[in-house]
Amino acid sequence: MNFKSFGRSWPASQGSISGSIGGVCALTLTAAATGATLLGFPSPSDISAGRFLGWRASSPYAPPPASPWAVSLTYAIQADLLANQSAFAPGEAAGIVRDTLNLWTDAARGRVTFTEAPWSAVRNEGPAPPDQWEGPGILDWLSGAFPGTTPGWGANVEVFSVPTGFTITSQSLTFSMNPNVLGFTVVNRIGSRTIVSVDIYLNESFTWFDAEAPASASGGANENNQIISYDLRAVVLHEVGHAMGLDHPNQAVLNGSWNISPILFNPGDPWSSSDLMHSVYTGPRSSATLDEVGGLAIVHGWKSPVDANGDGHIDGHDITQVLSDWGGNISHPRGDINFDQVVNASDISMILTNWGAQPESPGDPANWAPTTEAAGPSTPIFRECYAAEHAPAAHRPE
Ligand SMILES: [Zn+2]
């Protein structure tokens, strides 16, 4: 069957039909390809129409400007983040958060950047923002330190640590830190396309460590190979992934959505527990994967990662791009197609495998339906991310 979407037909020829959910065929690729899922699990028809969530470079109600669709976000970190953790010196946890933001800038090939906000971290708490989404919290504002500003809900992305049992109410929805949850992320949005403010909460009742610190050879496990502490980089990377507009691939089909391949943007890829956005903690991580890089390309309508020179065609010009980045010490090299931090022959191999393709990102504004920017619900999306394997659920009672 063909599924008309993204302004073109998606053939079933990439794989065999392995199942049918809600009338949508799920395809299984014969290759070991896996894909990314978009935040809030938009339906295939919503994806086709460009109704999925991301940061928008211009006003909340307008499409992003023409390429380059660079997005500049502010962030703020709770001053005493994870201060109860013996593994971290004062300020060390905040430094790890900053590292992860830089890693996401890398994954976005430099198109999403983060700048520390001048004001304190502010929880998105209460029935509505004081006046606007971004801006100093009411206490900072009353102090007079930020003349000419309007009080708001702080920075675009904020990171806090709280204990199990912590509860917050945001726009009439109440969230709790459940005992087997390493963290949860609250995404405030306007309609079905626009993320406006994200709060990340880490569970300080767990024991945390930095897998990249010299004294962390245990990997967080004890002598019986049981996990006793959790890699802060892995979990913050994952939570910021939600802030970037990505969701849990292993929960996509259950929620009426699907996973989309990161190279040609084909729907119906399976999920993998090796994805950074897998809902369950799988051990230390130091980067996003190609699936997440492709997910960012979908969310923001960028060219496919394999279209290294960004001309819409996968051809010899992309090999030229790889060769020009070969071995170079540059930031965000587009020639690192598979995002393994090395520009080498495996990147050229991916060009050859996909030679002649002209992948279209569903996030390309050319594929959007015209008048749906503000349509859809505006209640926050809440994602919790798990310490141990169990059935996925949006909310569980204590
Ligand atoms: Zn998650």
Side-chain angles (χ1 to χ4, degrees), residues 4 36 39 66 71 135 138 152 156 163 170 172 176 192 221 252 292-293 339 375:
K4 178 70 173 167
L39 184 68
V71 178
I138 190 71
N156 295 131
S170 185
S172 79
S176 292
S192 52
E292 285 88 27
V293 174
F339 201 61

Side-chain angles (χ1 to χ4, degrees), residues 47-385:
I47 296 173
S48 302
R51 285 190 294 268
F52 45 80
L53 291 160
W55 297 95
R56 305 304 174 200
S58 52
S59 83
Y61 298 104
S67 180
W69 298 320
V71 178
S72 177
L73 303 177
T74 56
Y75 72 90
I77 302 169
Q78 178 183 318
D80 57 348
L81 184 77
L82 291 172
N84 69 327
Q85 299 290 312
S86 60
F88 300 136
E92 191 174 347
I96 290 172
V97 171
R98 293 187 184 94
D99 286 350
T100 67
L101 296 175
N102 287 331
L103 287 165
W104 275 108
T105 295
D106 281 347
R109 312 296 171 112
R111 288 143 162 155
V112 176
T113 53
F114 297 90
T115 305
E116 189 146 18
W119 44 76
S120 310
V122 183
R123 290 175 183 163
N124 293 355
E125 188 164 26
D131 197 346
Q132 58 184 24
W133 294 102
E134 196 179 2
I138 190 71
L139 295 179
D140 281 348
W141 184 76
L142 288 172
S143 76
F146 301 98
T149 61
T150 307
W153 265 2
N156 295 131
V157 177
E158 285 161 314
V159 181
F160 306 89
S161 58
V162 295
T164 292
F166 166 83
T167 294
I168 184 168
T169 298
S170 185
Q171 296 188 76
S172 79
L173 296 179
T174 297
F175 310 124
S176 292
M177 185 65 82
N178 287 311
N180 63 341
V181 168
L182 293 168
F184 68 77
T185 295
V186 186
V187 179
N188 294 94
R189 56 179 165 165
I190 296 175
S192 52
R193 282 198 181 142
T194 305
I195 299 173
V196 286
S197 185
V198 174
D199 282 359
I200 293 169
Y201 293 90
L202 303 170
N203 190 342
E204 65 186 21
S205 299
F206 283 93
T207 301
W208 296 88
F209 80 118
D210 176 10
E212 296 188 7
S216 297
S218 70
N222 66 11
E223 55 210 15
N224 296 320
N225 213 25
Q226 296 168 311
I227 293 175
I228 53 171
S229 59
Y230 291 85
D231 179 30
L232 181 60
R233 291 176 195 274
V235 176
V236 176
L237 265 173
H238 175 105
E239 301 300 339
V240 176
H242 289 308
M244 301 292 276
L246 303 178
D247 219 318
H248 300 147
N250 53 314
Q251 298 172 348
V253 174
L254 287 172
N255 286 280
S257 189
W258 54 24
N259 298 315
I260 304 172
S261 69
I263 295 296
L264 299 180
F265 306 129
N266 291 312
D269 271 15
W271 58 269
S272 167
S273 61
S274 64
D275 275 331
L276 173 66
M277 295 312 294
H278 186 56
S279 68
V280 180
Y281 178 86
T282 56
R285 308 291 297 246
S286 59
S287 179
T289 71
L290 177 62
D291 281 352
E292 285 88 27
V293 174
L296 291 182
I298 295 166
V299 168
H300 289 283
W302 301 326
K303 300 300 182 185
S304 166
V306 77
D307 181 15
N309 77 334
D311 68 351
H313 301 262
I314 296 174
D315 55 20
H317 298 295
D318 303 308
I319 291 182
T320 302
Q321 180 74 47
V322 172
L323 295 176
S324 73
D325 292 345
W326 195 280
N329 184 22
I330 60 174
S331 297
H332 332 303
R334 304 180 71 171
D336 183 14
I337 288 167
N338 61 2
F339 201 61
D340 65 353
Q341 327 306 326
V342 186
V343 181
N344 59 15
S346 64
D347 300 304
I348 289 181
S349 171
M350 295 188 74
I351 294 169
L352 297 176
T353 299
N354 297 286
W355 192 268
Q358 298 179 45
E360 294 176 50
S361 166
D364 188 325
N367 294 324
W368 285 12
T371 57
T372 52
E373 277 82 5
S378 290
T379 48
I381 290 177
F382 167 51
R383 281 295 174 273
E384 52 185 3
C385 313

